[in-house]
Structures are given as C-alpha cells and as structure tokens.
Amino acid sequence: MTTEEILLQTVASLTKTNEEQGRQIAELTVELKKMAAQIAWFQRQMYGRKSERDIAIDNQPSLFDSAGIEIQSGSTGQPEPEPGEEEITYKRKKGRGGTSRPRETWENLPVLETRIIEPEGVDLTRYRRMGEETTYLVGFDPGKYYRIAVVRPKYGLIDPTEPVERGKGVLIAPLPKFPIYKGVPDASLLTEIELQKYEYHMPFYRQIKQMAHLGMKGLREATLVGWHKRTMELLRPLYELLAAEVFRSDYVQTDESTVPVINNEKGQADKEYLWMSRAVMEGLVVFFYDEGSRSGDVVKSRTDKYRFRGYMQCDGFGGYTAAYGSSAGVRLVHCMVHIRREWERALDENRKAASWFLGRIRELYHIEHECDRDGVDFAGRRDARQSRSKPIMEEMKKWLETEGVRYSQSSLTGKAVTYAYTRWEAMMRVLDDGRLLFDNNLAENEIRPITLGRKNYLFCGNHESAENMCVIQSLLATCRNHDINPRLYLNSVIASMPYFEKATDDELRVLLPHKWKELHPEAIMTIPVRQLAK
C-alpha cells in the first residue's frame, strides 16, 4: 500500500471518528438540556411562583407576596390597613414593641381564669374596697383560646381623717410584668405560637387560620411577627448563656445546614448556612447564624469567644480543617459515617475494594455495639478500642497508603481513598477517649427539625429572622435532649423573664432547661421525647 493510500485511509478513519463524536456530543447536549429543564422545574416547585399561588383564596395571603413573607426587613409588627377601608371606628393605641391591639380579635373570647392581686405589706382592715381595675390577657390551653382577667382591687381608707403615709390614701396593687409591655398575650399564648412554628412547623399564616377556627378572629400575620420578635428578645439572654454552657464542655459535635433566607435586593431566597454545636455529654445544644456564612471562622469565632478547649467532632467539610488545622487547644475528630458514605458510592465501580473497606468499618461498629450491650464504662470502652479497634484501623490506614494510591483521583474509588486518608489521623482520636463517638449522627439529628421546618415555612424573612430561629431552636433542642415538656418549660420562662431583665448569669442559669427541670420534675416526660420522635 502506497503512502498516499495510507494517508487517505487515515483521513477516512478520522472523519468517521469525528462524525461519531459529533453524534455523541449532540446526544449529550440534548440530555443535558433535558436535565437542566428538570432541575429548573424542581427549583420552581421549591421556590418559584405557581399560577395558583398568585390567586388570593379566602383572603389568605400568598406565601410569595409581600404580605406572605415571614419576617420582612424593617418590619415593626404593625399591620397595614385593609384595602378600601375608609372609616376607623376606634383609635388604635400603639404600645412599646409596635404591636397594635385590635380588640375585636379577642373580646368575644370567654373569661375562664381570674387572677386577683391584692396590695402587699399593708393592713387591709383599715381600708374599704372602693372598686377595682381589670386588665385582660389572652391565654391558651390546647384546643381553646380564652381571656384572663387580672383583677386589682382598689381600696380607700375607712377613716379619711386617719394619718397615713403620703400617697397611701388609695391602695391598688401594681400591675405585674407581662411578657409584652401593655400587650395582651399571656405567656401561654406566646408559648403556643412558638411551639406551632418551631416544634410543629406551622407557619404564621396557617396559625392565624387555625386561631380563627377556635374563636380568635381578626389577627394578622404582622401581629404574630411582632409578638414573636418580642418573645425572642426575652429569651435571648438565656440563649447567650446556653451557648457559653455548650462551649464550656470539652467534647462538642458541630454541623451546618442550609436555610433559605429572603434577599430583598434580589427578590428571592438565598441559600444561607445555619450552624449547630452540641455538648455531647451534657446534652446542650446551640444554633448560631452569621449572615449565612459557611466559613469555618463562624464556629471558630464562637469557640474563641468562650475559650473552648477539647474535642470537636465534625464531618469532612474543609472549613473545620482551615479553622482548626493548626490549633493546639481544639482537636478535630471526624465522622466514620461520612467516610462510609464515600465507599458506598464506590461499590458499583470497584466492589472488591469498597467491600473490603466497608467490612472493616462493620467490624469497628460491631465492637462498639458489644460495648453498648455489656454496659461498658468509658474507661473499659477505651481499653476495648486500644486492644481490638486499633489494629483494625491501623490495617485500614496501611491499605490506604499502599493499595489506595493505585486508583485515579477522578474515580469514585480514588475519591473515597482521598477522603478517608486525609481524615484518618483525626478519626483515630476516638481510640484515646472512651467518650468519643465514631460518628457525628447525634449532631445530624439535631439539624433534622430545621430541615423539616424548612419544608413547611420554606424560608426566613431576613437575617434577623434566622437569628431568632436559632434562639428558640436551641432551647427546644435542649429540652428534647433532657426529656422536658417544652410547653411547660416555655410557659414558665417566658412568664419569668420580664423579672430577670437585670439578673446576673448565676441567677439566669436556673432557667436553662437542664437546670430548670431540677426544680420542676413534673415537666419531665414519662416517655422520653427522643423516643416519641422516632
């Protein structure tokens, strides 16, 4: 065959190859467009407008218009006038906190409780009752809303000529401190609003509809927002103290999760990040948020603030390594479950290697289960790990260093090798302390209510709303870990906090869930909350 014939044959072969590649590119382009369309559809279902969402039904606001945003930027909680409203039959009074008091909302509710408050420290036999002043609150018992009459009898001296201290001619007890200054919600009502939103995942607009069915008609979403913000202001000192308690521990687990937050400039929800730290041994939980940042500096700023020293267990997110890689006081411990997930992804690609590695992980967990079954204490668990688990983990490390290097970094097996090997030294720290867990599952369980809530109320209205969510979720999560009835707890502390405005940390500490339950054993759930959630 001549040189010219060889060249012509080569050109023909290359032409055929190019045509085949062009066909494959065209097919892949079509498939890519199809997948992009599917992704866009899912995004529209999650965040976008649907035609039926643009239509007001029964005067219920759309979730995606300005009235439906959970907490609007700069909102004061003051409701807007109804469209077309030309006459106002009474003047609304605005108290501190910016909440209005539309009386028609609760005046039809029955008075089921009366609290009589008498003056203290005086001899009432010297006085005759000349009237009373009554203040109404709105309370809640499961299934009904009602009014509470706070009655303060007024007394005048029987003998007006009798000498009396200046200003003591007429006596009336001072008005007690309510959760909201000059506001109508009792602590029980505020507790129900918070539980409905963050424990049962019911957004405010649905709560308003439920309230109307139970006789509490005429409330607006802006009013509930104002009440919620004031409640979070009351609870924030407890939240700050709880954060300090969490990082006083020497073993915490940390995780982060996404939360959609409305960006008013873009007119859409941005994917922001919420953080959680859990003191494992104490069962204390704190959520925190820093304008949605996922930087490892977010959690580092907290650990630096509270001078945390000890073990921090986390997933494989690189932000932790960047923040604590050179830290002498914070020792990272990684999660075996995340390592296992990488190998499970590689099973179909390389069953032999993945099965071997997963088999060794099963052996490690089998040892842990035996320790659990036998009720081994922390010292005994450490000894079992040193004698039985350590040889297995050293064998796995050796395999990663010898066999693992054979796999391409771009393959699933190679990625599993890299993920495991770069975290193996931190993973082996579980051998040194019997308290340390092999995985970060407890932290992920704490994040789960955030994920469930996200599917119901969809987004936070702004950064302040996300920060407020951290306050209430931290207290609720700690209640769950200590098997505390959250309704009894919130009822108590919301009512108490107005009297603790100038309290010291030591005085406030008794209101933290794990301390509060020592004084309120009746609030401990007979069936642990953790079991009810399963």
Side-chain angles (χ1 to χ4, degrees):
M1 184 180 295
T2 65
T3 302
E4 184 178 356
E5 290 174 337
I6 293 174
L7 290 174
L8 289 173
Q9 188 176 4
T10 302
V11 169
S13 176
L14 292 173
T15 301
K16 184 177 180 181
T17 300
N18 286 338
E19 291 174 350
E20 179 67 19
Q21 290 178 343
R23 183 184 62 79
Q24 292 177 352
I25 290 171
E27 291 175 353
L28 290 173
T29 301
V30 172
E31 187 67 23
L32 182 61
K33 290 181 178 179
K34 186 187 298 184
M35 293 175 66
Q38 290 176 342
I39 292 171
W41 184 84
F42 281 119
Q43 288 177 330
R44 287 196 302 274
Q45 295 300 306
M46 196 61 143
Y47 303 114
R49 287 182 178 270
K50 290 183 180 179
S51 58
E52 61 267 27
R53 285 181 180 155
D54 296 331
I55 302 172
I57 301 175
D58 296 332
N59 294 323
Q60 295 299 311
S62 165
L63 278 175
F64 292 84
D65 61 21
S66 60
I69 293 178
E70 183 182 66
I71 296 181
Q72 301 172 30
S73 177
S75 172
T76 63
Q78 177 69 26
E80 295 294 329
E82 293 287 358
E85 183 176 302
E86 296 186 4
E87 289 189 25
I88 299 177
T89 56
Y90 61 90
K91 184 177 180 181
R92 294 185 179 179
K93 295 182 179 180
K94 186 175 179 182
R96 284 198 326 203
T99 57
S100 62
R101 298 186 294 162
R103 294 182 179 177
E104 72 276 7
T105 300
W106 43 74
E107 281 196 339
N108 60 321
L109 299 176
V111 177
L112 299 184
E113 180 181 340
T114 300
R115 305 171 184 172
I116 299 178
I117 304 174
E118 300 282 6
E120 295 181 355
V122 294
D123 181 7
L124 289 181
T125 61
R126 300 167 54 204
Y127 294 82
R128 67 172 178 273
R129 185 163 174 166
M130 50 186 291
E132 63 187 29
E133 290 191 7
T134 302
T135 304
Y136 289 99
L137 302 176
V138 177
F140 177 84
D141 269 346
K144 65 176 180 289
Y145 295 91
Y146 60 94
R147 285 193 295 167
I148 301 167
V150 181
V151 178
R152 295 180 294 150
K154 187 181 294 186
Y155 295 91
L157 277 171
I158 296 175
D159 182 2
T161 63
E162 181 181 348
V164 67
E165 185 181 344
R166 182 178 178 84
K168 295 292 185 179
V170 176
L171 292 181
I172 187 170
L175 197 65
K177 293 184 178 181
F178 299 135
I180 297 180
Y181 179 74
K182 293 186 178 180
V184 298
D186 181 58
S188 58
L189 177 57
L190 296 175
T191 293
E192 179 63 15
I193 291 170
E194 299 306 325
L195 288 178
Q196 288 287 346
K197 178 70 179 288
Y198 294 105
E199 187 75 2
Y200 314 134
H201 315 296
M202 185 180 291
F204 288 143
Y205 81 96
R206 291 185 195 168
Q207 291 191 47
I208 290 170
K209 191 172 184 180
Q210 184 186 68
M211 288 176 174
H213 295 167
L214 294 173
M216 186 84 160
K217 299 178 181 179
L219 271 181
R220 301 181 186 180
E221 187 172 350
T223 303
L224 262 65
V225 168
W227 291 350
H228 163 70
K229 291 173 69 174
R230 172 56 183 158
T231 305
M232 294 305 100
E233 290 173 4
L234 284 174
L235 296 177
R236 187 168 289 277
L238 284 180
Y239 165 77
E240 297 291 347
L241 190 58
L242 180 60
E245 292 284 306
V246 168
F247 290 110
R248 187 174 286 118
S249 171
D250 66 346
Y251 174 29
V252 301
Q253 291 182 332
T254 299
D255 199 4
E256 75 285 343
S257 180
T258 59
V259 55
V261 177
I262 291 294
N263 184 321
N264 289 311
E265 293 181 359
K266 296 181 181 178
Q268 65 182 32
D270 289 340
K271 185 176 76 171
E272 309 289 11
Y273 282 87
L274 191 76
W275 294 76
M276 184 282 311
S277 288
R278 183 184 195 274
V280 178
M281 307 309 297
E282 296 83 0
L284 308 179
V285 179
V286 62
F287 290 85
F288 44 94
Y289 179 88
D290 190 352
E291 295 189 349
S293 172
R294 200 192 182 192
S295 167
D297 290 337
V298 175
V299 65
K300 190 174 188 303
S301 66
R302 267 67 179 183
T303 56
D304 288 349
K305 176 180 178 181
Y306 299 110
R307 299 179 181 177
F308 170 74
R309 293 293 181 270
Y311 296 105
M312 175 175 286
Q313 191 163 31
C314 55
D315 57 24
F317 172 49
Y320 298 108
T321 305
Y324 299 109
S326 59
S327 174
V330 179
R331 290 163 287 173
L332 292 183
V333 180
H334 284 303
C335 172
M336 188 65 78
V337 166
H338 284 80
I339 293 174
R340 182 175 62 190
R341 288 173 188 168
E342 295 295 322
W343 284 101
E344 286 175 343
R345 293 189 184 102
L347 265 174
D348 291 336
E349 179 187 86
N350 191 329
R351 183 159 295 272
K352 181 179 179 181
S355 296
W356 183 88
F357 209 92
L358 290 171
R360 303 291 83 73
I361 293 177
R362 280 195 296 272
E363 290 180 28
L364 293 171
Y365 274 97
H366 181 69
I367 295 170
E368 294 301 306
H369 291 323
E370 287 185 344
C371 291
D372 292 339
R373 181 197 63 198
D374 298 338
V376 176
D377 61 15
F378 296 134
R381 190 181 294 266
R382 178 188 178 279
D383 293 341
R385 289 175 178 176
Q386 288 290 327
S387 61
R388 301 175 61 189
S389 302
K390 186 175 181 179
I392 297 173
M393 296 188 75
E394 288 178 341
E395 180 188 12
M396 296 166 79
K397 179 182 178 182
K398 183 177 179 181
W399 188 94
L400 291 170
E401 293 173 338
T402 57
E403 298 295 323
V405 295
R406 300 179 180 181
Y407 300 102
S408 169
Q409 295 288 323
S410 60
S411 67
L412 292 175
T413 307
K415 291 178 180 178
V417 168
T418 301
Y419 187 95
Y421 186 69
T422 54
R423 293 159 178 80
W424 204 251
E425 288 298 327
M427 191 69 248
M428 290 187 71
R429 286 191 173 126
V430 298
L431 303 173
D432 301 328
D433 193 325
R435 299 175 305 157
L436 303 182
L437 300 172
F438 264 86
D439 55 60
N440 210 33
N441 283 351
L442 289 177
E444 293 194 352
N445 289 342
E446 302 293 0
I447 291 286
R448 193 165 294 148
I450 301 292
T451 305
L452 183 58
R454 192 170 63 209
K455 293 179 180 179
N456 286 271
Y457 45 74
L458 300 182
F459 49 76
C460 294
N462 51 31
H463 292 312
E464 181 187 2
S465 174
E467 291 171 358
N468 285 336
M469 181 170 66
C470 292
V471 173
I472 186 65
Q473 289 287 17
S474 299
L475 295 171
L476 289 175
T478 302
C479 283
R480 283 193 294 270
N481 287 334
H482 287 269
D483 302 323
I484 297 171
N485 186 322
R487 186 181 301 280
L488 297 181
Y489 173 73
L490 288 179
N491 269 344
S492 175
V493 298
I494 291 175
S496 300
M497 284 307 293
Y499 295 93
F500 282 78
E501 289 182 351
K502 298 181 180 180
T504 64
D505 286 351
D506 288 338
E507 292 169 335
L508 272 177
R509 194 167 280 110
V510 298
L511 297 183
L512 291 177
H514 63 300
K515 298 293 185 181
W516 179 88
K517 79 171 184 178
E518 296 175 2
L519 304 175
H520 299 272
E522 73 281 359
I524 300 176
M525 304 284 284
T526 304
I527 302 176
V529 178
R530 293 189 299 275
Q531 292 183 18
L532 293 175
K534 291 181 180 178

